[in-house]
């Protein structure tokens, strides 16, 4: 059965001129919302294209008029309190205690632990315990790469912001080749915890990176089939198109939204919309998994016409990713000659925070969730099951905006870092899959989390 979506006309980006809460975009800078004069806005943290067989991080940083990254001595961008309020995490008592969230990235961040401590103390909560290992589980750390260091800072700090009681395991691959990154994934997924320190085993692995699809990618999917572990991955920042590993049917692919908030974390300016940089589409090489093909019109949010999917649909879910509504990140190592507080977005931001959401659900569960699992010949997903059973209680449907444009920045260096985007934009009559719809779509998936309800439901999921 085909994946069911609703076709709609292409929505225009939000062009409200209102301010975005505490986000401080320097005067005179452009951004996708059009709230500033035209000019450089953001640029990829890991510029591409990627070499064959390798990946790039999926994050973008606010830049100045010359295209250089903006850094300050005080926080800019959204705070943990704003995001916790916006997505409903503040309504939960779970903190992720007893769980381990693994962050897999390339290269070394020598100041990851110290920067996490600065981030947490700035916002008034205890820093998560952090353990750093190389891709084989040892302490032979790779060389430093400043782009990936900023990525690591984003991933570690914001996983902790969502699940402040969790243990963070940072696994650093030797470089950004798929071979080394997937070796690091295996190390991350196999971590059994530390009973003396009170660290539980890995329950979620975040991968804020990806590369173009390739014909043999299915042979690597076994890396994401560890029982009791949920794997999340960013869907890319170059608009329509599919990247791997988000394309794997055993990974929860995370797309991007624009989330305008006031200083208290209340959603403003008409609500959350699709970010035009959100990666998504239909995989060329991965088949449609059962959990997508078996979706029906059971929920009113999914009612309407259908768009046949010839392969795996990406993404599965969504989260704030627009750099113009980006996250405060502290990096003392330095990026392009500056250090301090940056404003960072991209679908990289959503992967660790969705991993943390699963860790909240796994607190006290036995056994912990598998993000996907097989039953006979079927590939099933507790997240999709909850979308079918009670969509409106668990997800915010993102039905405005699109990723039809391939441009995510008016600034320099926005060449789409994943190389050939891969996947398919797809068409049905005059409508393309780069448009959002009611229910599932290939831009924002099922939508963003209503965390208070979704975490509670996942904690009880069979």
């Amino acid at each position: 059965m085909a994946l069911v979506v609703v076709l709609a006309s292409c929505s225009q980006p939000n062009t409200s001129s209102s301010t975005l809460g505490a986000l401080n975009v320097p005067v005179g800078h452009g951004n996708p919302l059009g709230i500033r004069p035209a000019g450089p806005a953001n640029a990829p943290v890991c510029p591409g294209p990627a070499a064959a067989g390798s990946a790039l991080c999926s994050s973008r940083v606010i830049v100045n008029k010359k295209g250089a990254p903006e850094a300050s001595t005080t926080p800019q961008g959204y705070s943990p309190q704003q995001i916790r309020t916006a997505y409903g995490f503040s309504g939960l008592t779970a903190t992720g205690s007893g769980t381990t969230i693994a962050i897999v990235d390339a290269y070394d961040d020598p100041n990851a632990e110290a920067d996490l401590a600065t981030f947490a103390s700035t916002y008034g909560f205890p820093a998560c315990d952090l353990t750093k290992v190389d891709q084989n589980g040892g302490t032979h750390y790779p060389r430093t790469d400043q782009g990936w260091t900023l990525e690591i800072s984003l991933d570690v700090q914001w996983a902790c912001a969502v699940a402040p009681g969790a243990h963070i395991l940072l696994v650093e691959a030797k470089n950004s080749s798929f071979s080394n990154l997937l070796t690091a994934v295996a190390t991350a997924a196999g971590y059994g915890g530390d009973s003396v320190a009170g660290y539980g085993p890995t329950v979620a692995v975040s991968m804020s990176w990806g590369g173009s699809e390739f014909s043999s990618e299915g042979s690597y999917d076994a890396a994401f089939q560890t029982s009791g572990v949920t794997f999340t991955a960013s869907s890319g920042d170059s608009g329509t198109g599919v990247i791997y590993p988000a394309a794997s049917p055993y990974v929860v692919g995370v797309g991007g939204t624009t989330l305008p908030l006031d200083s208290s974390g209340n959603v403003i300016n008409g609500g959350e919309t699709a970010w035009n940089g959100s990666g998504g589409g239909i995989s060329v090489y991965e088949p449609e998994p059962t959990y997508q093909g078996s979706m029906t019109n059971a929920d009113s949010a999914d009612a309407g016409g259908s768009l046949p999917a010839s392969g795996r649909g990406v993404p599965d879910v969504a989260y704030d990713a627009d750099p113009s509504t980006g996250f405060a990140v502290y990096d003392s190592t330095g990026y392009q000659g500056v250090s301090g507080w940056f404003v960072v977005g991209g679908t990289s931001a959503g992967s660790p925070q969705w991993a943390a959401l699963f860790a909240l659900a796994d607190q006290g569960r036995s056994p912990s969730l598998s993000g996907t699992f097989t039953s006979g010949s079927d590939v099933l997903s507790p997240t999709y099951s909850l979308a079918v059973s009670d969509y409106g209680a668990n997800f915010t449907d993102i039905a405005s905006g699109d990723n039809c444009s391939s441009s995510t920045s008016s600034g320099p260096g926005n060449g789409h870092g994943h190389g050939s985007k891969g996947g398919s934009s797809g068409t049905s009559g005059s409508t393309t899959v780069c448009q959002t719809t009611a229910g599932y779509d290939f831009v924002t998936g099922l939508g963003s989390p209503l965390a208070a309800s979704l975490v509670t439901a996942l904690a009880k999921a069979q």
Side-chain angles (χ1 to χ4, degrees):
M1 184 181 297
L3 181 64
V4 175
V5 296
V6 178
L7 301 181
S9 62
C10 188
S11 300
Q12 296 300 312
N14 184 346
T15 58
S16 169
S17 60
S18 300
T19 59
L20 296 179
L23 181 62
N24 180 15
V25 179
V27 174
H29 293 198
N31 58 58
L33 290 182
I35 65 170
R36 302 289 184 186
N42 60 80
V45 170
C46 299
S54 65
L56 292 172
C57 65
S58 297
S59 54
R60 302 184 70 90
V61 62
I62 293 290
V63 298
N64 63 23
K65 290 182 178 180
K66 295 182 179 180
E70 288 278 1
S72 65
T73 57
T74 56
Q76 300 184 75
Y78 286 157
S79 69
Q81 290 86 349
Q82 286 175 287
I83 294 299
R84 291 179 63 81
T85 297
Y87 283 127
F89 293 106
S90 57
L92 294 163
T93 58
T95 64
S97 176
T99 69
T100 293
I101 303 167
I103 304 295
V104 174
D105 280 313
Y107 302 104
D108 179 41
D109 181 352
N111 299 336
E113 186 172 16
D115 288 354
L116 173 59
T118 297
F119 177 84
S121 64
T122 297
Y123 291 112
F125 63 92
C128 300
D129 290 322
L130 184 143
T131 300
K132 184 173 76 171
V133 298
D134 64 30
Q135 67 184 40
N136 298 308
T139 56
H140 298 289
Y141 305 125
R143 68 175 178 86
T144 298
D145 176 276
Q146 290 190 351
W148 282 90
T149 295
L150 184 56
E151 176 64 56
I152 291 170
S153 298
L154 168 68
D155 294 350
V156 166
Q157 291 165 25
W158 279 92
C160 184
V162 171
H167 171 232
I168 306 295
L169 176 68
L170 173 60
V171 186
E172 298 181 333
K174 182 179 180 181
N175 56 38
S176 60
S177 72
F178 273 116
S179 175
N180 286 310
L181 284 165
L182 293 179
T183 295
V185 167
T187 296
Y191 177 76
D194 186 330
S195 58
V196 175
Y199 304 150
T202 295
V203 299
V205 177
S206 173
M207 303 172 288
S208 289
W209 40 267
S212 299
E213 287 206 276
F214 49 98
S215 60
S216 61
E217 66 188 39
S219 64
Y220 293 90
D221 286 344
F224 314 119
Q225 297 179 55
T226 301
S227 179
V229 179
T230 299
F231 297 85
T232 65
S234 51
S235 69
D237 298 343
S238 298
T240 305
V242 177
I243 63 172
Y244 191 84
S248 171
Y250 301 99
V251 170
V252 178
V254 183
T257 67
T258 296
L259 181 68
L261 303 177
D262 66 20
S263 59
S264 298
N266 301 303
V267 182
I268 59 174
N269 291 352
E272 192 171 15
T273 59
W275 176 48
N276 69 345
S278 178
I282 303 171
S283 171
V284 173
Y285 303 111
E286 298 279 7
E288 181 184 69
T290 310
Y291 57 78
Q292 290 187 325
S294 62
M295 288 185 72
T296 69
N297 292 342
D299 190 277
S300 60
D302 297 315
S306 65
L307 178 66
S310 57
R312 153 83 160 133
V314 182
D316 298 298
V317 294
Y319 209 85
D320 182 29
D322 187 340
S324 297
T325 59
F327 301 84
V329 175
Y330 184 74
D331 180 3
S332 65
T333 301
Y335 177 63
Q336 294 188 15
V338 293
S339 62
W341 290 94
F342 298 83
V343 179
V344 186
T347 55
S348 279
S351 180
Q353 293 182 72
W354 265 95
L357 182 152
F358 285 109
L360 296 178
D362 278 320
Q363 180 177 327
R365 271 190 64 104
S366 182
S368 54
L369 286 166
S370 298
T372 59
F373 58 94
T374 56
S375 177
S377 60
D378 296 333
V379 182
L380 306 177
S381 161
T383 307
Y384 276 81
S385 294
L386 291 173
V388 171
S389 64
D390 200 349
Y391 183 86
N394 296 310
F395 298 92
T396 295
D397 185 16
I398 311 299
S400 176
D402 63 74
N403 65 355
C404 302
S405 171
S406 63
S407 176
T408 57
S409 172
S410 58
N414 68 331
H416 307 294
H418 300 101
S420 176
K421 290 189 285 185
S424 170
S425 61
T427 61
S428 178
S430 62
T431 307
T432 69
V433 299
C434 67
Q435 299 166 4
T436 52
T437 69
Y440 180 90
D441 58 63
F442 300 101
V443 185
T444 60
L446 297 169
S448 61
L450 294 170
S453 176
L454 180 58
V455 168
T456 301
L458 285 169
K460 299 175 181 178
Q462 300 297 312

